[in-house]
Amino acid sequence: MNSSSPANLAAPGAGLPWLELMVARMLFGQFCRKNTREKVTALFIEERDRILKLAAMLVPLDAARPVLIKRLRGMEDSSRQWSVYMTLEHLRIVNAAVADIINSLAAGKALSGTASTAAVKPTSGIDEQVVSGFTAGAEALLQTVATVRDLRTNKRYAHPWFGPLDAAGWHAMAAFHLRLHRKQIESIIAALG
């Protein structure tokens, strides 16, 4: 499925097929219920480290090359033709947004607007500088979580797929999200050959 020509993909923000979305909600709910704050943080760190090791395996030219992969369960169709660097940029954007959301919820502030999957898509042309940006953003999210005494906040902010989440839910979503995109990076590397 390795292709560098543009594919006919669904529009960013189109979401998941209905049944797949229902399964994702169920799995995410189970993930939130069965994992403690410490386990979620440990998973986030583990996935961050695995992603960095995968990215380090590639020369910059390959890491910057978008390839078409088979759609993974839990991933929008519009995300199927990214490079490893584009995936890191997406994760950097999302992690920064999640850190801001957790800070606001912990401070008891209601957030305006709505979260959007279309708003966090990367552009093409991302280079190797994204690795340090991803690393710094992941560390900033971990530091944010570490400074919040209680992630079970009264205030909530809606995720486009999982509905209203407190800060603990957003923390869990960040780790859940990293795991999905680590699998995407593995698929991209396999497609690069």
Side-chain angles (χ1 to χ4, degrees):
M1 202 167 247
N2 182 359
S3 171
S4 58
S5 61
N8 186 19
L9 304 174
L16 301 176
W18 181 83
L19 184 58
E20 188 175 321
L21 178 59
M22 295 303 108
V23 171
R25 286 177 177 165
M26 180 191 71
L27 292 173
F28 180 67
Q30 289 173 349
F31 178 81
C32 290
R33 284 187 296 280
K34 79 174 190 174
N35 286 294
T36 64
R37 171 188 186 134
E38 293 75 23
K39 284 184 180 177
V40 170
T41 296
L43 176 64
F44 184 92
I45 291 167
E46 177 187 332
E47 292 296 347
R48 176 206 58 197
D49 293 348
R50 291 176 76 182
I51 287 168
L52 288 169
K53 284 180 185 172
L54 288 166
M57 292 171 40
L58 301 174
V59 297
L61 188 63
D62 285 340
R65 186 166 20 125
V67 294
L68 182 63
I69 62 169
K70 182 179 176 186
R71 190 179 70 80
L72 302 175
R73 274 185 249 127
M75 188 178 80
E76 286 188 328
D77 186 60
S78 62
S79 303
R80 289 193 310 122
Q81 195 165 13
W82 288 0
S83 68
V84 169
Y85 287 162
M86 289 171 73
T87 308
L88 290 176
E89 174 66 0
H90 167 70
L91 292 169
R92 185 198 63 74
I93 293 166
V94 169
N95 288 341
V98 171
D100 288 345
I101 291 166
I102 289 172
N103 270 325
S104 294
L105 295 176
K109 297 178 186 172
L111 289 117
S112 60
T114 57
S116 163
T117 59
V120 294
K121 302 293 184 185
T123 59
S124 59
I126 306 295
D127 65 21
E128 64 267 16
Q129 292 179 0
V130 75
V131 176
S132 60
F134 165 75
T135 303
E139 186 58 33
L141 177 55
L142 290 168
Q143 289 300 318
T144 296
V145 168
T147 63
V148 176
R149 187 180 59 78
D150 187 2
L151 292 172
R152 300 286 176 196
T153 56
N154 291 326
K155 294 284 184 192
R156 295 176 183 274
Y157 185 64
H159 183 275
W161 297 350
F162 303 128
L165 302 175
D166 61 7
W170 281 98
H171 177 221
M173 194 287 302
F176 199 76
H177 185 249
L178 272 186
R179 182 171 56 190
L180 170 66
H181 287 289
R182 186 256 307 152
K183 293 175 184 176
Q184 178 187 13
I185 290 169
E186 289 171 344
S187 294
I188 292 168
I189 290 171
L192 285 167

